[in-house]
Amino acid sequence: MAIPADASLDKTREILRARLKGIIPDFEIDYKAELAWKINRLKHERGAVILGHNYMEPALFYSIPDYVGDSLELARKAAETNCDPIVFCGVRFMAETAKILNPDKTVLLPSKEAGCSLAAAITADDVRRLKELFPGAPVVSYVNTYADVKAESDYCCTSSNAARLVKSIDADLIIFLPDEYLAKNVAAETGRKIWIFGPEDLESESIVYPDDVSMIGWAGRCEVHEQFTVEDVTSVRKQFPKVEVLAHPECRPEVVEAADFSQSTSRMIQHVKESTAPHFLLLTECSMGDNIIAENPDKDILRLCSVRCPHMNQITLEDTLEALEKNQVEIDVPEPIRTRAKQALERMLSVS
Ligand code: 13P
Ligand code: SF4
């Protein structure tokens, strides 16, 4: 995706204009092209690699990342790269994943505000308490968790391999953290009966739940995807009867049920490219729709743009330039936590 490092400023502007005309205003393209040109030169000088999540805003997405993708694809790229530093245009848990896999390299996250409501929903203490309550049950943690939570986990997963990973585990009871809705969607796909725990349950003396439960979930939610409703889907279907609805698996189970397709961000992008439907409704971060239109101008993408990820939106071209200039914000994962978290990540990478 990156514009070549040897492209002149004029060439950078021309490439970005060709890609983004009509998606963002010309003056903004010109301003951002200059930032992208500076970043690409500095990236080359420093021998850096830039990884960009699918939610990055279009001018950044189409100008500076050497690789773009979903969480799993970017974790793979982080595991394979020889470049140093690694600049992660995504959120903190993604940059931490890159650091866990590359302890000797510098990993930079352009904004220290780029968190995630799911990663913030659970602590390592919560996981330890759950392990005491359900001894022997393997712990699967969504990659949207911080390193200390991964360190308490047996496996990591992403939205693109969660069901496959759960199917590969031979255990009567699995603890699946921290996204309540992803867990419910995975339970439905893998035929497991789920019971959701929250922080208040860990305080209680005795916990009662049905005998036939085979998956324990946690009450964490993505603040973006939890906002989509079945009514959103029905009202769009009324206006556009032939619309194809794509919902990220972090959406509520009833929303996923009402949709036509539910997979990771990269699989959603791929699906839109391959489908001949006349319209698509994307129930995910709004920027991704712009990125798809920029590459597929013939596609009619409908989005609910009032719902944005405040964390992904922290990552800007300005901050990325500053990150490379000042070597900030450097991600650090303490060694004992890193080695344990790495095992869970490596299990994920080997299952996929
Ligand atoms: P993907 O792994 O599907 O890209 O999802 C990451 C994420 O944070 C979605 O909100
Ligand atoms: Fe986290 Fe949701 Fe933002 Fe993804 S969209 S980074 S899950 S808050």
Side-chain angles (χ1 to χ4, degrees), residues 103-121:
D104 299 330
K105 293 186 182 141
T106 300
V107 176
L108 303 173
L109 179 68
S111 166
K112 62 175 184 304
E113 312 298 334
C116 168
S117 68
L118 278 174

Side-chain angles (χ1 to χ4, degrees), residues 232-243 279 302:
D232 293 332
V233 178
T234 350
S235 93
V236 171
R237 283 206 199 277
K238 228 181 252 168
Q239 293 173 66
F240 303 92
K242 292 191 174 160
V243 68
H279 323 279
L302 313 168

Side-chain angles (χ1 to χ4, degrees), residues 326-351:
K326 300 184 181 163
N327 224 34
Q328 64 186 35
V329 174
E330 205 171 330
I331 300 295
D332 187 32
V333 177
E335 192 52 24
I337 289 179
R338 188 195 71 79
T339 37
R340 290 168 63 214
K342 186 167 178 248
Q343 281 180 7
L345 278 169
E346 282 178 343
R347 286 198 188 117
M348 168 183 92
L349 293 171
S350 70
V351 167

Side-chain angles (χ1 to χ4, degrees), residues 224-298:
V224 177
H225 292 96
E226 72 168 345
Q227 294 186 54
F228 299 116
T229 63
V230 173
E231 290 67 45
D232 293 332
V233 178
T234 350
S235 93
V236 171
R237 283 206 199 277
K238 228 181 252 168
Q239 293 173 66
F240 303 92
K242 292 191 174 160
V243 68
E244 211 171 334
V245 180
L246 290 81
H248 193 275
E250 290 165 13
C251 291
R252 294 165 193 274
E254 59 272 26
V255 171
V256 167
E257 179 83 4
D260 302 298
F261 182 89
S262 180
Q263 250 296 347
S264 76
T265 52
S266 285
R267 302 263 186 98
M268 289 166 100
I269 294 171
Q270 194 58 30
H271 185 83
V272 172
K273 280 184 189 164
E274 288 166 7
S275 168
T276 55
H279 323 279
F280 301 89
L281 172 65
L282 296 191
L283 299 179
T284 197
E285 218 300 319
C286 190
S287 290
M288 207 173 90
D290 284 335
N291 294 339
I292 296 178
I293 296 168
E295 212 182 332
N296 309 270
D298 55 320

